[in-house]
Amino acid sequence: MNQVLCDGMPITPSKIVCVGRNYVEHIKELNNDVPEQMVLFVKPNSAISSVLMSHHQEPLHYEAELCFMVADGAFKAVGLGLDLTKRQLQSELKAKGLPWERAKAFDGSALFSEFVTIAQDSDKLSFTLHVDGALRQQGDIGLMIHKPDAIYKEISEFMTLNDGDIVMTGTPKGVGVINAEEVFTLQMQHNGGINIESRWQAQ
């Protein structure tokens, strides 16, 4: 089973629950409709990787996201993640009204920073993604359609969230193709300082 780090300790998530279409500008850039209900899908533990792929049967797209880890019935830690997507396949599946898992839940489709215990004023968290030093994405909780507390409540209504599970809260505008050799840098800001940073070079 694949692991992530939380406050320096290895944790094994049983699953990753992802929120789709949670930023209005991202919905617009993909020409989607604003959903009436929260869009949710699941990635298995086998999706977790430390290797950023640029290709898996087709070119891959990146989506940077603010992520939360569950403990004791609540979001207790926060980190950053990359949700990798087979965009062409996803478009084909959407057009047929079929589930997205083939385009979203493949092995190696989720990369994470280390997670840290949530600060008291976690609603002030923001994050950025730079690719080869150029800003590609930036987001914060204020831009989300569904806030973290509402996300936890809705998932819990139909699915048990176990300790160590990760919830990815959606991506802001600026998604795009991953090119081999590009360097991706994710940073989380809190109270004006950077308290999480992760970097991967695409293969």
Side-chain angles (χ1 to χ4, degrees), residues 117-155:
T117 301
I118 293 176
Q120 292 297 319
D121 51 350
S122 59
D123 59 331
K124 295 182 173 62
L125 294 171
S126 61
F127 66 96
T128 57
L129 171 67
H130 289 78
V131 180
D132 286 346
L135 179 64
R136 293 285 183 87
Q137 291 188 274
Q138 54 186 359
D140 62 65
I141 291 174
L143 295 174
M144 294 179 182
I145 298 171
H146 305 288
K147 312 304 184 192
D149 287 348
I151 292 171
Y152 188 94
K153 181 177 183 295
E154 181 141 351
I155 295 171

Side-chain angles (χ1 to χ4, degrees), residues 69-107:
M69 182 176 287
V70 175
D72 300 323
F75 290 149
K76 290 295 181 69
V78 65
L80 299 170
L82 288 176
D83 169 14
L84 306 190
T85 303
K86 298 179 180 180
R87 189 72 69 201
Q88 180 178 339
L89 176 58
Q90 185 189 32
S91 297
E92 294 170 359
L93 294 169
K94 284 162 52 180
K96 296 176 181 178
L98 296 173
W100 298 352
E101 273 73 14
R102 291 178 183 271
K104 285 282 195 178
F106 55 93
D107 288 356

Side-chain angles (χ1 to χ4, degrees), residues 36-51:
E36 294 182 6
Q37 291 184 310
M38 194 180 300
V39 176
L40 298 168
F41 59 95
V42 175
K43 292 177 183 273
N45 174 276
S46 60
I48 299 171
S49 177
S50 59
V51 177

